[in-house]
Amino acid sequence: MTTTLISGGTVVSATGRTEADVLVDGERIVALLEPGSRLLGTDVSAGVDRVIDATGKYVIPGGIDAHTHMQLPFGGTEASDTFETGTRAAAHGGTTSIIDFAVQRYGERVQDGLAAWHEKAAGNCAIDYGFHQIIGGVDADSLAAMRALPDEGITSFKLFMAYPGVFYSDDAQILKAMQVSRDTGMLTMMHAENGPAIDVLAEQLAEAGKTDPYYHGIARAWEMEEEATHRAIMLAKLTGAPLYVVHVSAKQAVEQLAWARDKGQNVYGETCPQYLYLSLEEQLGASSDEWGAFEGAKWVCSTPLRSREERHQDAMWQALRTNDLQMVSTDHCPFCMKDQKELGLGDFRKIPNGIGSVEHRMDLMYQGVVTGEITLERWVELTSTTPARMFGLYGRKGVIQPGADADVVVYDPNGHTSIGVGKTHHMNMDHSAWEGYEIDGHVDTVLSRGKVIVDGDQYLGAKGDGRFLKRGLSQYLI
Ligand code: DUC
Ligand code: ZN
Ligand code: ZN
């Protein structure tokens, strides 16, 4: 077993920061020591196998991205990152755990969908991974199968109020699934957009010749997100299910969440970097020699980018400060322009929905610290500690304390990161949604269960380092 000392750094948690050295034995953190590695007056640094100098740097718990879609079949193609490429990219960006979505499709048994996901991931991941379960067909069989999921370490499931004919659940199905959520304590995760209404608007736009990627966002109007969020909240209230709304992008949807939380309801929400930084106006203005206005397809995702003029992005940052939103995940769902996004040339409805960000979430959110949108502690809370608590991993993950897995990132606030293809990009994509972003900070060293897997820009890990995480129930259950 290797012993490692991370010395001279500032250990940052969700509640504060302290000058301390972190002692790792094998896969676990065993002690936080006074600067100078002093324990009972003795310097322990001479007795360890390896010392990592973190002087002038932050030492933080590894990032947890609780919303990814590796190899997701979608829109006639499949998300371009495998578990191998996607988790390696995540590691480069300081994320040491992901929670991906296993898929049960309509007509398929939940157990079979889950088994297929285990097969895709097992032996391929660079970092630890867990699963939520997408329920694409709520019926008597799937409802019964859902009750067994917590024993498998899967303590949350996702339903879709969007995508009729694909993943969609109607209100009756949602109600029944939420009753299982109430009975078992599993968290109901909701894609809250009114899919049937959106599909009508999208068809009308396409018939009127409005086929560019920009119209994806017009069809998916914020009213459709607000309405669905409200409906999900009311169904959750009726059933007593704990509710977590994914990829919130509209300020009106946040207002719904805040309203329900103010009334004491057990309701949570995440947003994603794209809803903090990118906008519908930029998507409209996007054009390139290669793709013309179809360049905007790079930012087609659902929920869609929102108008900067309407100040949705400002509202997301504010909600992160006020805790009306509790977490930031990526909804990492990458597609290449060539052969994938281009399936929607001439019809935005056929563009596979998704943006790839798993590698950049920690940096993009750190930029929020630099610009004064959030504090250093809140950065750690939003990207690691709350995801661990929300999804039943806390203690093992999400914190630097004795007994926790040694998933640790040494982050250099004086470093610099240029994002883009040919720069820091390791995701399996032929473009970056974040091309040209400059970050005042840098992921220097990443440890996953005590093993250094990233050192500088060098990857030292191996396929299969990552293990499946059996998760407990959310700590936010009341
Ligand atoms: N949204 C996306 O952008 N991609 C995959 C599924 C989803 O809900
Ligand atoms: Zn979704
Ligand atoms: Zn998603």
Side-chain angles (χ1 to χ4, degrees):
M1 290 253 265
T2 309
T3 48
T4 305
L5 185 71
I6 305 167
S7 72
T10 302
V11 176
V12 185
S13 75
T15 53
R17 58 190 95 170
T18 178
E19 307 304 311
D21 296 350
V22 179
L23 184 61
V24 173
D25 187 9
E27 298 193 347
R28 297 274 170 87
I29 295 165
V30 290
L32 264 68
L33 306 172
E34 276 180 60
S37 307
R38 302 199 78 77
L39 182 65
L40 301 176
T42 310
D43 179 354
V44 302
S45 62
V48 299
D49 299 318
R50 173 179 53 198
V51 177
I52 296 170
D53 182 7
T55 306
K57 299 175 186 174
Y58 298 131
V59 179
I60 61 169
I64 301 173
D65 190 341
H67 188 156
T68 68
H69 297 287
M70 308 301 173
Q71 294 171 249
L72 176 75
F74 192 97
T77 183
E78 188 170 289
S80 58
D81 262 321
T82 61
F83 277 91
E84 182 182 354
T85 62
T87 57
R88 194 167 56 219
H92 275 285
T95 285
T96 53
S97 302
I98 60 163
I99 311 179
D100 202 84
F101 286 83
V103 180
Q104 177 239 357
R105 290 195 256 190
Y106 184 71
E108 185 182 31
R109 292 171 72 232
V110 172
Q111 297 91 325
D112 294 342
L114 176 57
W117 236 256
H118 274 297
E119 207 162 302
K120 288 183 204 220
N124 290 320
C125 292
I127 54 173
D128 289 351
Y129 62 98
F131 295 145
H132 315 284
Q133 182 70 51
I134 285 176
I135 305 293
V138 177
D139 58 20
D141 279 355
S142 58
L143 288 165
M146 284 162 71
R147 291 182 186 270
L149 288 173
D151 289 340
E152 305 273 329
I154 294 162
T155 51
S156 42
F157 62 84
K158 182 180 180 189
L159 302 175
F160 289 80
M161 301 168 99
Y163 304 128
V166 189
F167 294 130
Y168 175 74
S169 292
D170 65 24
D171 291 350
Q173 291 173 309
I174 291 168
L175 186 97
K176 289 178 189 168
M178 282 184 168
Q179 287 170 338
V180 175
S181 172
R182 172 201 59 205
D183 293 348
T184 59
M186 294 175 82
L187 207 50
T188 300
M189 304 174 78
M190 190 63 78
H191 179 130
E193 285 186 297
N194 185 326
I198 285 168
D199 281 6
V200 171
L201 295 176
E203 189 179 351
Q204 289 171 352
L205 285 164
E207 276 171 2
K210 296 178 173 176
T211 57
D212 284 343
Y214 166 72
Y215 292 102
H216 169 85
I218 300 301
R220 306 186 91 87
W222 59 258
E223 288 88 342
M224 303 292 94
E225 187 183 344
E226 180 185 18
E227 183 278 327
T229 303
H230 181 74
R231 192 156 30 101
I233 286 168
M234 296 316 290
L235 291 166
K237 181 166 188 292
L238 192 65
T239 54
L243 176 68
Y244 176 97
V245 181
V246 295
H247 48 54
V248 175
S249 63
K251 64 181 178 192
Q252 295 82 358
V254 174
E255 285 163 10
Q256 291 298 319
L257 292 169
W259 170 79
R261 287 171 60 74
D262 284 351
K263 285 175 174 287
Q265 202 177 325
N266 206 10
V267 169
Y268 307 95
E270 69 174 17
T271 191
C272 311
Q274 53 268 36
Y275 309 122
L276 294 161
Y277 287 103
L278 306 173
S279 74
L280 197 54
E281 287 87 349
E282 286 153 88
Q283 189 178 27
L284 174 64
S287 181
S288 67
D289 291 346
E290 189 181 2
W291 297 105
F294 192 70
E295 182 78 5
K298 292 177 177 174
W299 300 283
V300 164
C301 55
S302 297
T303 57
L305 303 187
R306 298 292 177 197
S307 163
R308 198 177 295 281
E309 226 167 78
E310 293 171 2
R311 305 181 70 90
H312 294 279
Q313 296 78 6
D314 292 343
M316 295 304 124
W317 282 114
Q318 179 174 309
L320 291 177
R321 284 192 294 276
T322 57
N323 208 39
D324 289 332
L325 294 174
Q326 293 75 36
M327 285 175 44
V328 178
S329 314
T330 56
D331 196 7
H332 178 76
C333 192
F335 297 101
C336 292
M337 284 295 274
K338 199 90 206 98
D339 298 331
Q340 296 199 294
K341 291 279 187 182
E342 71 174 348
L343 292 169
L345 264 171
D347 187 347
F348 68 84
R349 293 172 297 175
K350 298 193 175 129
I351 301 170
N353 290 195
I355 283 183
S357 311
V358 76
E359 186 171 356
H360 304 309
R361 184 184 63 123
M362 299 301 284
D363 281 325
L364 288 166
M365 293 313 297
Y366 182 71
Q367 198 58 31
V369 178
V370 173
T371 56
E373 295 283 2
I374 52 172
T375 65
L376 194 59
E377 288 79 6
R378 187 65 173 157
W379 173 51
V380 169
E381 189 169 30
L382 293 169
T383 56
S384 179
T385 308
T386 299
R389 295 187 67 201
M390 188 69 71
F391 293 110
L393 292 170
Y394 188 77
R396 242 193 311 171
K397 309 288 188 189
V399 61
I400 294 186
Q401 69 182 16
D405 284 351
D407 290 2
V408 182
V409 174
V410 178
Y411 198 85
D412 183 1
N414 298 309
H416 189 84
T417 304
S418 298
I419 301 181
V421 177
K423 295 174 188 157
T424 47
H425 181 101
H426 297 87
M427 300 176 287
N428 185 31
M429 298 171 73
D430 60 3
H431 67 279
S432 171
W434 304 99
E435 191 68 45
Y437 271 70
E438 301 289 336
I439 307 293
D440 294 323
H442 188 261
V443 172
D444 268 14
T445 312
V446 180
L447 284 83
S448 169
R449 273 185 286 100
K451 176 176 173 178
V452 176
I453 57 170
V454 173
D455 184 16
D457 295 326
Q458 227 191 327
Y459 179 64
L460 302 176
K463 174 176 158 165
D465 278 346
R467 287 192 206 138
F468 177 65
L469 292 167
K470 271 190 144 193
R471 298 183 291 114
L473 292 177
S474 174
Q475 280 198 352
Y476 287 80
L477 285 181
I478 45 174

